[in-house]
Each structure stands twice: as C-alpha cells, then as structure tokens.
Amino acid sequence: MRRPHRPALNAVARSPEDTAPRAILVIRLSAIGDVVMASAVLPVLRRAYPDARIDWLAEPPADAVLAAREELGEVIRWPKAEWRGLLRRGRLWALLRAFLGLARGLRRNRYDLVLDLQGLAKSGLWARLTGAPERVGLGSREGSRWLMTRVVARDGNEERIASEYRNLVRELGLEPGAFPLAPAVSGTAREEAARALAEAGIKGPFAVLAPFTTRPQKHWLEERWADLAARIRDGMGLPVVLVGGPGDRAAAARIAARTEGEVADLAGRTGLAGSLAVLREAALCVGVDTGLTHAAIGFGTPTVALFGSTRPYLDPATPSARVLYSGLPCAPCGRRPTCGGAFHCMAAIPVDDVLAEARAVRASTGDTA
Ligand code: SF4
C-alpha cells in the first residue's frame, strides 16, 4: 500500500522516513474570534499528518470553540483567570504547583512540533516550556521570537478570511485547500442550545443577531438592531434570537424591549458553547466583528458581518457569508477611534443593505424568503 504523502517541515532537514511530526501542539490561547480563525489549520494538519497526535493549548472560554473538533487529541486548558485568583489571594505555592503541573504535562507529551499562532510572550513561553525541537511562531513579538526555532511573518491576502493562518501552513509546505474555519460544538452544547431555544418558544428555522463585543466602536445602533429584527421576522418569516454574554444582558434587554418582546433574548442565558450551538443551528446570522459571527461563518450558517472600525476580512471565502463595510477614510481605526464616539462607520450601514445581504446569503444556500 502506498504511504500517504507527509510533507516535511521546511525548518529542519530530516531523513524522508522521519519527516512527519508525531505529536503537534497548536497554541492560540485567546480570543474567541482568533481561535475560530486559527481553527482552520486543524483539517490541514490532520490531512498532512494523519497519524499525529494534535493538541491545542487554550484559555477558557476560548477552549469551547474547539472542544469537539475530531482532529484534536486534547484541548489543554490554561486556566489563567484561576491562576490570577491564586495570585491575588497570595496562594503562591498553589500557583507554583499549578504552573509546574501544566508545564510538566506539556513536556511529558513530547511534542516534536509546536505552532505558536498567537506570537506573544505568554504563548511563546508555553511553546518553549514544551521542550519541542521545532517551534514555529506566527509573527512572534514581545521577545517571543527568541523562543522560536522559526518565525513566519503575518502575511497573505489581507482581505481573505484567516489569510495569515493560510499563509503559515503554506510556509510550512502544507496545502491549505479551501481552508474553511473549523469551530465545533459538543453534543452537550447542542442540548443546552435546544433547551434554551425551546424555553424561548423557538421552533423551526430562526435567525440570530450577534450585536455585542467589548468595544463600542464595533457596535451597530440599537434601534437598527430592533428594526432589523422586526423586518427579518415579518419579511423573511424567521423568528429572531439575540445571543451574547452575561455582560451584554442590559443592552440585549434594551434591544428586545424596542421590539416589544418579539425577539427571544438568550444573551447571558447560555454559555459560550451553547451560543455557538445556537449559531450552528440558525438559518441566518447577522453580527458585528465578534467571535460568534466568525464562528457562524465557520459553521456554514448564512451570515452577514457588519464591520466599521475594524476589518478583519472583506472576503469570507464562502458564498454563504457577506461583509458590509463602509470603508470611511478614517477606517479601520482599530482601538483608536478619532471620531469622538460618533462611530460614523457603523452608522453608515443601513438596515435595507443588511436585509438585502441577508436575503442573498440565504438564497446562496437554497433558502428563500
Ligand atoms: S474613527 Fe472612523 S473608523 Fe474609527 S470608529 Fe470612528 S468613524 Fe469608525
């Protein structure tokens, strides 16, 4: 039988019989959207190295994005928030024990390849602590390049979704293929979502709105969300669900109140995994630049993404997703808005345009409304 082709990594010359890594650790600790983007490397690694153990090191809650990925042997959690709690309470021995336990566990796994997709000091340190002979960093900064055996620049077609990760796998000599995002949800999360939807009275196809992020310059106007929800419900025949975290409950309640209770408000009522499962089941998602929106695209849910101060991509690389981006001269400003809180970039997106794109993405999957 012919052995599958297993490309050698470019970094180190080894004999042809010894080119395939046997154990790989991917490090992308946070944030949720970035973990969703980075998840696209998993199918590529599995295709290239069908027999390798592949693990991922992540912090909660971002680990929820990966928990059910079939390519993964283990999602190793770094409970950073718990460690901070130990530090605050002065429990230094407990903290040291936890640190040594995680570091020793990583080293015991004898990774021969680590991909540091975060490229920061903290991710680089974990990469170094594994003792892996090959440590490839993506755009390594904060001194972490000195902890790597190779650094690949953050490069690629910046308009295409996940292009820097696509470029990385190419630099490793691997074939990215279509390179779809690869978030996953567990059966438990699907059950949580089903319960929440049933309690909210949602039956059959439904639309999800994902309006919330931690940065106000990425938000659309609350009255437009309410208007959009009403028009999706009345014009497309889809009941509408709001998703978000516990910190979004007040804003979600305001939007729901504007629709006179016609929107099912699940913000803070499911965990992250449950929200992801809701998005996976949805017939439509409209969201801002947040991990939930990127995950919806990864699930193949028809999705419209609203970007203004940030522009993580313009090309979602799938007909089931579209990006609306106003492209003002001041955009993208990232974390440094210069508009004094006016956020014209998001205000420039009309409800009519969002609805038109929503119909288009639904039509791309054969649904019409
Ligand atoms: S500075 Fe421009 S791009 Fe940034 S938030 Fe304001 S309007 Fe949007």
Side-chain angles (χ1 to χ4, degrees), residues 2-26:
R2 240 181 112 184
R3 287 168 65 92
H5 172 63
R6 297 176 196 179
L9 292 170
N10 296 340
V12 177
R14 292 184 283 192
S15 73
E17 283 305 303
D18 194 27
T19 53
R22 288 175 295 272
I24 302 169
L25 178 68
V26 181

PDB file of all heavy atoms in Angstrom, residues 2-26:
ATOM      1  N   ARG A   2       0.467   2.239  -0.775  1.00  0.00           N
ATOM      2  CA  ARG A   2       1.256   3.465  -0.817  1.00  0.00           C
ATOM      3  C   ARG A   2       1.084   4.267   0.457  1.00  0.00           C
ATOM      4  O   ARG A   2      -0.028   4.432   0.940  1.00  0.00           O
ATOM      5  CB  ARG A   2       0.765   4.315  -2.000  1.00  0.00           C
ATOM      6  CG  ARG A   2       1.866   4.562  -3.004  1.00  0.00           C
ATOM      7  CD  ARG A   2       1.360   5.389  -4.112  1.00  0.00           C
ATOM      8  NE  ARG A   2       1.989   6.696  -4.079  1.00  0.00           N
ATOM      9  CZ  ARG A   2       1.660   7.651  -4.915  1.00  0.00           C
ATOM     10  NH1 ARG A   2       0.728   7.473  -5.792  1.00  0.00           N
ATOM     11  NH2 ARG A   2       2.283   8.797  -4.859  1.00  0.00           N
ATOM     12  N   ARG A   3       2.170   4.709   1.007  1.00  0.00           N
ATOM     13  CA  ARG A   3       2.074   5.550   2.202  1.00  0.00           C
ATOM     14  C   ARG A   3       1.588   6.927   1.827  1.00  0.00           C
ATOM     15  O   ARG A   3       1.947   7.429   0.766  1.00  0.00           O
ATOM     16  CB  ARG A   3       3.457   5.688   2.855  1.00  0.00           C
ATOM     17  CG  ARG A   3       3.911   4.439   3.556  1.00  0.00           C
ATOM     18  CD  ARG A   3       5.368   4.580   3.888  1.00  0.00           C
ATOM     19  NE  ARG A   3       5.581   5.649   4.845  1.00  0.00           N
ATOM     20  CZ  ARG A   3       5.608   5.462   6.145  1.00  0.00           C
ATOM     21  NH1 ARG A   3       5.414   4.270   6.629  1.00  0.00           N
ATOM     22  NH2 ARG A   3       5.819   6.459   6.961  1.00  0.00           N
ATOM     23  N   PRO A   4       0.723   7.546   2.648  1.00  0.00           N
ATOM     24  CA  PRO A   4       0.287   8.906   2.337  1.00  0.00           C
ATOM     25  C   PRO A   4       1.481   9.863   2.340  1.00  0.00           C
ATOM     26  O   PRO A   4       2.427   9.676   3.109  1.00  0.00           O
ATOM     27  CB  PRO A   4      -0.683   9.241   3.477  1.00  0.00           C
ATOM     28  CG  PRO A   4      -0.360   8.277   4.569  1.00  0.00           C
ATOM     29  CD  PRO A   4       0.216   7.061   3.924  1.00  0.00           C
ATOM     30  N   HIS A   5       1.399  10.856   1.470  1.00  0.00           N
ATOM     31  CA  HIS A   5       2.463  11.846   1.422  1.00  0.00           C
ATOM     32  C   HIS A   5       2.404  12.721   2.667  1.00  0.00           C
ATOM     33  O   HIS A   5       1.378  13.281   2.996  1.00  0.00           O
ATOM     34  CB  HIS A   5       2.297  12.714   0.178  1.00  0.00           C
ATOM     35  CG  HIS A   5       3.236  13.875   0.161  1.00  0.00           C
ATOM     36  ND1 HIS A   5       4.599  13.698   0.128  1.00  0.00           N
ATOM     37  CD2 HIS A   5       3.018  15.202   0.197  1.00  0.00           C
ATOM     38  CE1 HIS A   5       5.185  14.884   0.141  1.00  0.00           C
ATOM     39  NE2 HIS A   5       4.240  15.815   0.173  1.00  0.00           N
ATOM     40  N   ARG A   6       3.488  12.803   3.387  1.00  0.00           N
ATOM     41  CA  ARG A   6       3.534  13.652   4.572  1.00  0.00           C
ATOM     42  C   ARG A   6       4.638  14.664   4.390  1.00  0.00           C
ATOM     43  O   ARG A   6       5.817  14.331   4.477  1.00  0.00           O
ATOM     44  CB  ARG A   6       3.798  12.828   5.813  1.00  0.00           C
ATOM     45  CG  ARG A   6       2.684  11.857   6.061  1.00  0.00           C
ATOM     46  CD  ARG A   6       2.996  10.990   7.210  1.00  0.00           C
ATOM     47  NE  ARG A   6       2.109   9.855   7.177  1.00  0.00           N
ATOM     48  CZ  ARG A   6       2.143   8.888   8.057  1.00  0.00           C
ATOM     49  NH1 ARG A   6       2.986   8.937   9.035  1.00  0.00           N
ATOM     50  NH2 ARG A   6       1.315   7.886   7.964  1.00  0.00           N
ATOM     51  N   PRO A   7       4.250  15.906   4.117  1.00  0.00           N
ATOM     52  CA  PRO A   7       5.277  16.884   3.813  1.00  0.00           C
ATOM     53  C   PRO A   7       6.216  17.115   4.985  1.00  0.00           C
ATOM     54  O   PRO A   7       5.809  17.092   6.146  1.00  0.00           O
ATOM     55  CB  PRO A   7       4.475  18.161   3.526  1.00  0.00           C
ATOM     56  CG  PRO A   7       3.061  17.720   3.382  1.00  0.00           C
ATOM     57  CD  PRO A   7       2.916  16.451   4.125  1.00  0.00           C
ATOM     58  N   ALA A   8       7.475  17.330   4.658  1.00  0.00           N
ATOM     59  CA  ALA A   8       8.439  17.719   5.684  1.00  0.00           C
ATOM     60  C   ALA A   8       8.267  19.186   5.984  1.00  0.00           C
ATOM     61  O   ALA A   8       7.877  19.960   5.133  1.00  0.00           O
ATOM     62  CB  ALA A   8       9.849  17.467   5.185  1.00  0.00           C
ATOM     63  N   LEU A   9       8.521  19.574   7.221  1.00  0.00           N
ATOM     64  CA  LEU A   9       8.554  20.985   7.529  1.00  0.00           C
ATOM     65  C   LEU A   9       9.812  21.586   6.942  1.00  0.00           C
ATOM     66  O   LEU A   9      10.826  20.908   6.815  1.00  0.00           O
ATOM     67  CB  LEU A   9       8.532  21.186   9.036  1.00  0.00           C
ATOM     68  CG  LEU A   9       7.202  20.770   9.665  1.00  0.00           C
ATOM     69  CD1 LEU A   9       7.335  20.750  11.153  1.00  0.00           C
ATOM     70  CD2 LEU A   9       6.118  21.722   9.225  1.00  0.00           C
ATOM     71  N   ASN A  10       9.735  22.832   6.577  1.00  0.00           N
ATOM     72  CA  ASN A  10      10.869  23.455   5.911  1.00  0.00           C
ATOM     73  C   ASN A  10      12.020  23.777   6.852  1.00  0.00           C
ATOM     74  O   ASN A  10      13.135  24.014   6.433  1.00  0.00           O
ATOM     75  CB  ASN A  10      10.429  24.760   5.249  1.00  0.00           C
ATOM     76  CG  ASN A  10       9.408  24.475   4.162  1.00  0.00           C
ATOM     77  OD1 ASN A  10       9.316  23.362   3.679  1.00  0.00           O
ATOM     78  ND2 ASN A  10       8.643  25.481   3.799  1.00  0.00           N
ATOM     79  N   ALA A  11      11.736  23.779   8.155  1.00  0.00           N
ATOM     80  CA  ALA A  11      12.725  24.334   9.073  1.00  0.00           C
ATOM     81  C   ALA A  11      13.954  23.453   9.259  1.00  0.00           C
ATOM     82  O   ALA A  11      15.065  23.923   9.345  1.00  0.00           O
ATOM     83  CB  ALA A  11      12.079  24.581  10.435  1.00  0.00           C
ATOM     84  N   VAL A  12      13.741  22.148   9.332  1.00  0.00           N
ATOM     85  CA  VAL A  12      14.843  21.270   9.687  1.00  0.00           C
ATOM     86  C   VAL A  12      14.940  20.149   8.664  1.00  0.00           C
ATOM     87  O   VAL A  12      13.936  19.527   8.321  1.00  0.00           O
ATOM     88  CB  VAL A  12      14.610  20.661  11.096  1.00  0.00           C
ATOM     89  CG1 VAL A  12      15.728  19.685  11.436  1.00  0.00           C
ATOM     90  CG2 VAL A  12      14.516  21.760  12.126  1.00  0.00           C
ATOM     91  N   ALA A  13      16.131  19.865   8.169  1.00  0.00           N
ATOM     92  CA  ALA A  13      16.304  18.773   7.217  1.00  0.00           C
ATOM     93  C   ALA A  13      16.369  17.467   7.983  1.00  0.00           C
ATOM     94  O   ALA A  13      17.181  17.299   8.885  1.00  0.00           O
ATOM     95  CB  ALA A  13      17.583  18.985   6.419  1.00  0.00           C
ATOM     96  N   ARG A  14      15.466  16.527   7.660  1.00  0.00           N
ATOM     97  CA  ARG A  14      15.493  15.227   8.309  1.00  0.00           C
ATOM     98  C   ARG A  14      15.398  14.165   7.235  1.00  0.00           C
ATOM     99  O   ARG A  14      15.090  14.443   6.094  1.00  0.00           O
ATOM    100  CB  ARG A  14      14.328  15.101   9.287  1.00  0.00           C
ATOM    101  CG  ARG A  14      14.472  16.010  10.468  1.00  0.00           C
ATOM    102  CD  ARG A  14      13.366  15.784  11.457  1.00  0.00           C
ATOM    103  NE  ARG A  14      12.141  16.404  10.998  1.00  0.00           N
ATOM    104  CZ  ARG A  14      11.073  16.561  11.773  1.00  0.00           C
ATOM    105  NH1 ARG A  14      11.078  16.152  12.984  1.00  0.00           N
ATOM    106  NH2 ARG A  14      10.012  17.137  11.310  1.00  0.00           N
ATOM    107  N   SER A  15      15.640  12.916   7.610  1.00  0.00           N
ATOM    108  CA  SER A  15      15.553  11.849   6.614  1.00  0.00           C
ATOM    109  C   SER A  15      14.098  11.697   6.187  1.00  0.00           C
ATOM    110  O   SER A  15      13.181  11.958   6.975  1.00  0.00           O
ATOM    111  CB  SER A  15      16.074  10.555   7.218  1.00  0.00           C
ATOM    112  OG  SER A  15      15.128  10.072   8.143  1.00  0.00           O
ATOM    113  N   PRO A  16      13.858  11.236   4.928  1.00  0.00           N
ATOM    114  CA  PRO A  16      12.482  11.128   4.438  1.00  0.00           C
ATOM    115  C   PRO A  16      11.601  10.274   5.333  1.00  0.00           C
ATOM    116  O   PRO A  16      10.420  10.512   5.459  1.00  0.00           O
ATOM    117  CB  PRO A  16      12.662  10.497   3.049  1.00  0.00           C
ATOM    118  CG  PRO A  16      14.073  10.784   2.659  1.00  0.00           C
ATOM    119  CD  PRO A  16      14.851  10.873   3.923  1.00  0.00           C
ATOM    120  N   GLU A  17      12.180   9.245   5.987  1.00  0.00           N
ATOM    121  CA  GLU A  17      11.379   8.374   6.851  1.00  0.00           C
ATOM    122  C   GLU A  17      11.005   9.054   8.162  1.00  0.00           C
ATOM    123  O   GLU A  17      10.195   8.557   8.917  1.00  0.00           O
ATOM    124  CB  GLU A  17      12.165   7.089   7.146  1.00  0.00           C
ATOM    125  CG  GLU A  17      12.169   6.108   5.991  1.00  0.00           C
ATOM    126  CD  GLU A  17      10.764   5.755   5.521  1.00  0.00           C
ATOM    127  OE1 GLU A  17       9.966   5.282   6.347  1.00  0.00           O
ATOM    128  OE2 GLU A  17      10.476   5.966   4.340  1.00  0.00           O
ATOM    129  N   ASP A  18      11.632  10.171   8.436  1.00  0.00           N
ATOM    130  CA  ASP A  18      11.450  10.789   9.748  1.00  0.00           C
ATOM    131  C   ASP A  18      10.955  12.223   9.622  1.00  0.00           C
ATOM    132  O   ASP A  18      11.281  13.076  10.426  1.00  0.00           O
ATOM    133  CB  ASP A  18      12.793  10.766  10.487  1.00  0.00           C
ATOM    134  CG  ASP A  18      12.611  11.084  11.965  1.00  0.00           C
ATOM    135  OD1 ASP A  18      11.517  10.809  12.487  1.00  0.00           O
ATOM    136  OD2 ASP A  18      13.551  11.622  12.556  1.00  0.00           O
ATOM    137  N   THR A  19      10.191  12.482   8.573  1.00  0.00           N
ATOM    138  CA  THR A  19       9.806  13.873   8.332  1.00  0.00           C
ATOM    139  C   THR A  19       8.527  14.269   9.040  1.00  0.00           C
ATOM    140  O   THR A  19       8.316  15.447   9.297  1.00  0.00           O
ATOM    141  CB  THR A  19       9.617  14.135   6.830  1.00  0.00           C
ATOM    142  OG1 THR A  19       8.713  13.157   6.337  1.00  0.00           O
ATOM    143  CG2 THR A  19      10.939  14.097   6.102  1.00  0.00           C
ATOM    144  N   ALA A  20       7.644  13.319   9.309  1.00  0.00           N
ATOM    145  CA  ALA A  20       6.339  13.681   9.846  1.00  0.00           C
ATOM    146  C   ALA A  20       6.394  13.849  11.352  1.00  0.00           C
ATOM    147  O   ALA A  20       6.845  12.947  12.053  1.00  0.00           O
ATOM    148  CB  ALA A  20       5.322  12.615   9.478  1.00  0.00           C
ATOM    149  N   PRO A  21       5.918  14.973  11.865  1.00  0.00           N
ATOM    150  CA  PRO A  21       5.853  15.095  13.324  1.00  0.00           C
ATOM    151  C   PRO A  21       4.863  14.084  13.894  1.00  0.00           C
ATOM    152  O   PRO A  21       3.836  13.807  13.294  1.00  0.00           O
ATOM    153  CB  PRO A  21       5.365  16.533  13.549  1.00  0.00           C
ATOM    154  CG  PRO A  21       4.848  17.004  12.251  1.00  0.00           C
ATOM    155  CD  PRO A  21       5.438  16.158  11.174  1.00  0.00           C
ATOM    156  N   ARG A  22       5.208  13.531  15.057  1.00  0.00           N
ATOM    157  CA  ARG A  22       4.324  12.536  15.674  1.00  0.00           C
ATOM    158  C   ARG A  22       3.384  13.188  16.690  1.00  0.00           C
ATOM    159  O   ARG A  22       2.319  12.654  16.975  1.00  0.00           O
ATOM    160  CB  ARG A  22       5.152  11.449  16.358  1.00  0.00           C
ATOM    161  CG  ARG A  22       5.847  10.524  15.378  1.00  0.00           C
ATOM    162  CD  ARG A  22       6.738   9.548  16.106  1.00  0.00           C
ATOM    163  NE  ARG A  22       7.834  10.234  16.764  1.00  0.00           N
ATOM    164  CZ  ARG A  22       8.993  10.495  16.167  1.00  0.00           C
ATOM    165  NH1 ARG A  22       9.203  10.117  14.932  1.00  0.00           N
ATOM    166  NH2 ARG A  22       9.945  11.137  16.815  1.00  0.00           N
ATOM    167  N   ALA A  23       3.795  14.295  17.228  1.00  0.00           N
ATOM    168  CA  ALA A  23       2.941  14.987  18.211  1.00  0.00           C
ATOM    169  C   ALA A  23       3.083  16.487  17.990  1.00  0.00           C
ATOM    170  O   ALA A  23       4.192  17.021  17.975  1.00  0.00           O
ATOM    171  CB  ALA A  23       3.349  14.603  19.626  1.00  0.00           C
ATOM    172  N   ILE A  24       1.935  17.137  17.797  1.00  0.00           N
ATOM    173  CA  ILE A  24       1.920  18.565  17.459  1.00  0.00           C
ATOM    174  C   ILE A  24       1.088  19.296  18.502  1.00  0.00           C
ATOM    175  O   ILE A  24       0.007  18.827  18.878  1.00  0.00           O
ATOM    176  CB  ILE A  24       1.272  18.783  16.069  1.00  0.00           C
ATOM    177  CG1 ILE A  24       2.022  17.987  14.992  1.00  0.00           C
ATOM    178  CG2 ILE A  24       1.222  20.271  15.698  1.00  0.00           C
ATOM    179  CD1 ILE A  24       1.284  17.940  13.655  1.00  0.00           C
ATOM    180  N   LEU A  25       1.588  20.418  18.953  1.00  0.00           N
ATOM    181  CA  LEU A  25       0.797  21.279  19.834  1.00  0.00           C
ATOM    182  C   LEU A  25       0.548  22.598  19.118  1.00  0.00           C
ATOM    183  O   LEU A  25       1.491  23.250  18.653  1.00  0.00           O
ATOM    184  CB  LEU A  25       1.531  21.558  21.152  1.00  0.00           C
ATOM    185  CG  LEU A  25       0.780  22.506  22.113  1.00  0.00           C
ATOM    186  CD1 LEU A  25      -0.498  21.846  22.659  1.00  0.00           C
ATOM    187  CD2 LEU A  25       1.674  22.945  23.269  1.00  0.00           C
ATOM    188  N   VAL A  26      -0.718  22.993  19.016  1.00  0.00           N
ATOM    189  CA  VAL A  26      -1.079  24.303  18.488  1.00  0.00           C
ATOM    190  C   VAL A  26      -1.377  25.195  19.688  1.00  0.00           C
ATOM    191  O   VAL A  26      -2.111  24.789  20.594  1.00  0.00           O
ATOM    192  CB  VAL A  26      -2.311  24.230  17.565  1.00  0.00           C
ATOM    193  CG1 VAL A  26      -2.650  25.608  17.003  1.00  0.00           C
ATOM    194  CG2 VAL A  26      -2.075  23.236  16.432  1.00  0.00           C
TER     195      VAL A  26
END
